[in-house]
Every structure is written in C-alpha cells, then in structure tokens.
Amino acid sequence: MEDTRQERQRQEVMVVGVDESELSLYALQWTLDRFFAPYAPHFPFKLIVVHAKPSPTSAISLGDPGVIEVLPIIDADLKKVAAWVTQKAKDICNSRSVHDVTFQVMEGDARNVLCDAVEKHHASVLVVGSRGHGAIKRAVLGSVSDYCSHHAHCTVMIVKRPKIEG
Amino acid sequence: MDATTATGTAPLAAGGPVEESTVVGMVMQEPVAAETKLKMKVMVAVDESEGSFYALRWTLDHLLRRSSPALAADGDEVEMITLVHVQQPFQHYAFPAGPGGAAFYAASSVVESVRKAQEENSALILSRALHMCKESMVKAETLILIGDPKDMICQATEQMHTDLLVVGSRGLGKIKRAFLGSGSDYCAHHAKCPILIVKPPKEASKQ
C-alpha cells in the first residue's frame, strides 16, 4: 500500500493534445501502447487528454455583417466535433484499459490551449501528433506541434506515423 | 557519407529478422501480455552539452522505470537504448584574415592531433553516457557518426528503425533565449519517427 501511495505522489503528468485528425488520435494510441499498457496497473504518468475547441469566430472570417447569425450554428458544430473527439479518445483509452484519465475541452487556439494546459497541470510531458491541427496535407510539422516544441515549458513528444514499409 | 545510407537493408544494428519482428509487433494493436512487452527501440543523441545528458537522464528515469532489480535478473525485461554521438568533420583548411590570402591547408600532424582529440572527446562523452545507463541498469549500445549532426541523426533513426528519438532542446549552438536549438528543431521536422524533446528543468534555464 505504501508503495502505491508513494507512486501516486511521484506520478508525473502527461498531457496529450487531440483534435479530429486521425494523426492525433494515433498519437494518443501510440502513447498508450508504449508508455501505459506495459506498466499496468501502475502507470508512470497521470494522463490528461486535451482537446482545443476553436472559438467560432476563428473558424470563419469576420467581415460580412450577416455572419453574426451564423455563429451559434458554427459553435454547435464545433461542440459536436469536440464531443466526437472526446468520445474517440475515451474509446482508445478504454481499449487499452487505461481508466484514470481526465478529458478536457478548452476553447481557443490549440497552441495556447496546450501550453496553458501544461502550465496548469504542471505537466512533465506534452504529446502531440505531427500534424497538429486539422488535416493539413503537407508533409511537414504542423504549426501547433512546432509552436509547442518551442514554447512549452516541459518535454515535448511529437508522434509521427511511420510510413508503411513497402 | 552516402555510402552508408544506401537502403534500409543495410542496418547499423542487429540483423534483419529481429527488426522485422519488431515492426510486426508494432502493427498489432491488441494489448500485449505482461511477458511479451513491446520493446521500444530508443535512440538518444548525446553531445557535449549538459542538455543532452539531462535528456538521457530523463529518458532513463521516465521511460525505463520498471527496471527493478527483480526484473533485471531476467535479461529479457531490460530495455536497450542506442546512444549516438555525432562528430563534426574537421575542416582541414583555414582562411587567414588578411586580404589576398589563399587557403592554408593544415599540416597532416595538426589534422591527426585534432582527429585524436575528437575521438577522445567522443569516447569521454559516450563513456559518461554508458555509465549513466549502467547505473540505471539499462543496456546501451553506442554509435559514433561523423558528419552534420542533424542529418546523421535523422538518417540513423531511419536505418535502425528507431521507435523513439530523444534529443535535448539546446545543443552546442547555445542561444540562451531560444527554447529549442536549430538541431533539435531540424530533427523534429525531418526525423521519420516520433521524437522526444527534453527541456532542461526550469531552475536551470535562467533568462
């Protein structure tokens, strides 16, 4: 019993950023496979899964006066996406039998949301997929993961999907 | 440099079949039983900077925690990491500062002594890193590469099918204000495998 209590005190926090992209959900899954599943049930990290829900005003370009009416519709849509992402993340965690997970949806730009989450939870690791925000087709580091690797105050892990070996 | 980077079938580490089974293990998504853990191939880039040693220390502490004495007895459980050190090639010539100067080539004795110094330097760095691994009861293999660190590290991860590359955040080009050095940034962009960038602890990074 003593050991478990000590371990819990020592337990460090890992924040994983997820969005609707398959790549970030892959990052969550990869992290669970490598860093959690082998250590069951004494997981070395406390896992916090954070989804950054973009604010409706950032999702559209403001200029048209008629746009104000559309905002609630857009917001509802974004909320749906956030719920879907959270559910997907929950499914992935459950499939790997990792149950003590906190899921958070925070509104704002993913870059700031993730760095703030790291500060707030005093995380020791931040995990992001390589194409951070949405489906950017270019094969480069996404702007979110690039920003986080520069600005987060903790260790950053950028998970990339390996190319299928032909 | 090009000769060593032919194809993926010329690995720098152990033989082909072992790596293939590791790849298959990665693709399987079922939760694995405690006995058959997925062995993660971790490569840690070390150089003279304290940041890279801190990265190694972080890796040993966090990623390989389950190496308790009981497990170490069973050789199967101990993780293996690869320590890679990249030596920068010595420029054999120097340009004098005055006008109208031609390049002077360094005498071969100078080249020799510099090469020796570099080798000693690498040996020192790697022995320190190996010592740290030994203390944490982690098996480690070392790799010395010569060339531009950024390129060589990325190529090495590809050839060895590394699962995770660990780098410090700032290497030799120490710009105090930057949180991320150009080398680590390059690797973050170009390495094909997941990369872990270890930042120094807050107390160390005084600004």
Side-chain angles (χ1 to χ4, degrees):
Chain A
M1 280 307 163
E2 282 267 341
D3 266 308
T4 332
R5 232 183 304 138
Q6 273 174 11
E7 256 195 47
R8 213 156 280 156
Q9 281 167 7
R10 278 195 285 143
Q11 210 179 29
E12 311 216 359
V13 179
M14 180 188 276
V15 172
V16 179
V18 291
D19 63 9
E20 64 272 16
S21 74
E22 207 190 292
L23 222 48
S24 69
L25 293 169
Y26 172 80
L28 174 63
Q29 184 183 298
W30 188 92
T31 306
L32 289 174
D33 283 337
R34 302 292 166 154
F35 293 90
F36 286 81
Y39 301 85
H42 297 300
F43 301 123
F45 292 99
K46 164 105 182 66
L47 182 65
I48 302 184
V49 177
V50 175
H51 171 64
K53 170 182 159 301
S55 64
T57 44
S58 71
I60 52 172
S61 51
L62 290 173
D64 184 0
V67 132
I68 304 294
E69 295 156 2
V70 185
L71 284 179
I73 303 173
I74 293 176
D75 197 41
D77 196 47
L78 290 172
K79 283 208 172 79
K80 247 194 261 172
V81 170
W84 181 85
V85 171
T86 309
Q87 188 54 50
K88 272 270 160 174
K90 280 191 184 146
D91 291 342
I92 293 174
C93 291
N94 286 331
S95 74
R96 269 126 186 101
S97 312
V98 180
H99 297 295
D100 182 25
V101 188
T102 308
F103 295 90
Q104 283 196 333
V105 174
M106 286 156 71
E107 180 155 322
D109 185 279
R111 287 171 273 234
N112 299 319
V113 162
L114 290 179
C115 292
D116 286 346
V118 163
E119 297 282 312
K120 194 168 101 171
H121 298 284
H122 304 291
S124 39
V125 190
L126 170 66
V127 183
V128 289
S130 74
R131 271 175 250 150
H133 200 235
I136 300 173
K137 298 292 180 192
R138 316 170 275 154
V140 295
L141 201 67
S143 59
V144 173
S145 37
D146 195 43
Y147 181 90
C148 290
S149 63
H150 281 80
H151 292 84
H153 287 292
C154 67
T155 302
V156 177
M157 183 151 71
I158 303 172
V159 180
K160 305 191 191 189
R161 183 163 224 151
K163 292 214 173 78
I164 313 293
E165 321 230 341
Chain B
M1 241 196 309
D2 277 338
T4 57
T5 62
T7 58
T9 56
L12 300 165
V18 175
E19 284 170 315
E20 259 158 57
S21 61
T22 315
V23 170
V24 168
M26 272 203 303
V27 168
M28 278 199 315
Q29 306 239 324
E30 281 81 31
V32 290
E35 293 80 40
T36 56
K37 294 192 169 87
L38 288 175
K39 287 252 200 75
M40 184 161 58
K41 291 184 78 162
V42 180
M43 180 181 288
V44 182
V46 289
D47 61 8
E48 292 93 354
S49 69
E50 278 306 313
S52 67
F53 279 98
Y54 179 74
L56 175 61
R57 168 58 49 207
W58 198 97
T59 310
L60 293 169
D61 287 342
H62 289 84
L63 301 191
L64 305 158
R65 252 202 222 185
R66 63 192 155 115
S67 302
S68 64
L71 290 174
D74 174 11
D76 215 33
E77 299 294 340
V78 179
E79 293 278 351
M80 163 92 121
I81 67 175
T82 306
L83 301 165
V84 62
H85 174 66
V86 185
Q87 279 178 10
Q88 297 205 298
F90 173 57
Q91 309 280 52
H92 292 190
Y93 48 84
F95 289 96
F104 289 97
Y105 284 86
S108 56
S109 55
V110 176
V111 172
E112 248 334 286
S113 60
V114 170
R115 192 174 300 149
K116 270 220 178 87
Q118 278 189 327
E119 274 171 18
E120 274 176 23
N121 194 25
S122 299
L124 213 74
I125 292 169
L126 286 172
S127 74
R128 183 178 163 197
L130 275 172
H131 187 70
M132 282 169 76
C133 295
K134 209 162 158 204
E135 280 180 338
S136 305
M137 288 184 296
V138 174
K139 276 201 279 215
E141 56 177 9
T142 60
L143 191 59
I144 301 182
L145 300 171
I146 302 179
D148 183 31
K150 317 190 276 271
D151 286 323
M152 298 311 291
I153 291 173
C154 292
Q155 281 171 14
T157 56
E158 265 182 85
Q159 289 199 332
M160 297 183 65
H161 302 294
T162 310
D163 295 321
L164 183 66
L165 170 66
V166 181
V167 295
S169 62
R170 287 202 307 253
L172 296 174
K174 288 200 185 85
I175 301 172
K176 295 291 179 190
R177 266 176 228 288
F179 278 176
L180 189 65
S182 62
S184 313
D185 193 44
Y186 181 93
C187 289
H189 280 76
H190 290 87
K192 302 259 165 55
C193 69
I195 178 170
L196 187 73
I197 303 172
V198 182
K199 311 259 173 112
K202 276 203 183 134
E203 318 86 58
S205 58
K206 302 193 186 93
Q207 296 224 325

